[in-house]
Amino acid sequence: KRVAILISGGGSNMVTLAQDMLGDPMHPGAPVLVLSNIADAGGLAKARDLGIPTAVLDHKAYDTREDFDAALNDTLRHAAPDVICLAGFMRILTPVFVDAWEGRVLNIHPSLLPKYKGLNTHARAIEAGDNEAGCSVHKVTAGLDDGPLLGQASVPIRADDTPDSLAKRVLVQEHQLYPAVLRHFLTGEPGLLRL
Ligand code: GRF
């Protein structure tokens, strides 16, 4: 199965997804494109080092979200992905995109959804006095961070945690969770994966 990965930054989740696929000849997925909306995203160089085709689509070049999404659809159609993984992709996607690919788009979000949709998830969990945080992989729908859950992993919040120390601990789990969920998704295994 052809897997496209969308990034905006360092792409650490993209790297772990790609390495899991490239390192296992029996893996059902193969990375066919890494696309970023940010031209100097660090993940683009990492993708090139892994031999994966890359593309940049600068959202600032489009007047509306819908125009960007239409261009994104065109670029993706050339790559003809079976599955699209959002991995640190920091754009809100409109129905123009979601309707074109619905059911085939995954996202990783750094909270235990449905808690803390949106941004600054770790600061909010600490602020709320939660004793655990984590990450979630879900199917992408029109709602922000709102689709059916496919997997979750949790970590304890420590008394001396800052948003940064917690983010680091959660990111380790993200790198375990996303590759495992993608494998399950590609083999059609149902149910929620809990690490
Ligand atoms: C991670 O916290 C991820 O949960 C969020 O974007 C952040 C950076 O991810 N979606 P990456 O290193 O660019 O994959």
Side-chain angles (χ1 to χ4, degrees), residues 36-115:
S36 173
N37 63 304
I38 305 288
D40 62 353
L44 288 169
K46 296 172 191 168
R48 291 181 195 121
D49 290 349
L50 289 165
I52 304 167
T54 60
V56 173
L57 208 58
D58 180 352
H59 61 275
K60 297 189 292 299
Y62 298 88
D63 292 339
T64 69
R65 289 187 184 284
E66 286 75 10
D67 288 348
F68 172 78
D69 285 7
L72 180 60
N73 287 349
D74 289 346
T75 305
L76 286 170
R77 282 193 194 102
H78 285 294
D82 299 296
V83 176
I84 299 167
C85 291
L86 309 184
F89 187 65
M90 305 306 277
R91 297 291 305 163
I92 292 177
L93 292 158
T94 72
V96 168
F97 171 86
V98 175
D99 293 349
W101 305 98
E102 181 138 23
R104 295 181 281 167
V105 188
L106 308 183
N107 180 46
I108 188 156
H109 180 74
S111 81
L112 293 172
L113 291 172
K115 293 179 84 169

Side-chain angles (χ1 to χ4, degrees), residues 9-14 87-90 107-110 122 171 174-175:
S12 71
N13 277 292
M14 175 276 296
F89 187 65
M90 305 306 277
N107 180 46
I108 188 156
H109 180 74
H122 303 309
L171 197 58
E174 293 178 33
H175 296 164

Side-chain angles (χ1 to χ4, degrees), residues 150 184-185 187-193:
L150 296 174
H184 272 245
F185 185 75
T187 52
E189 285 177 52
L192 175 69
L193 190 66

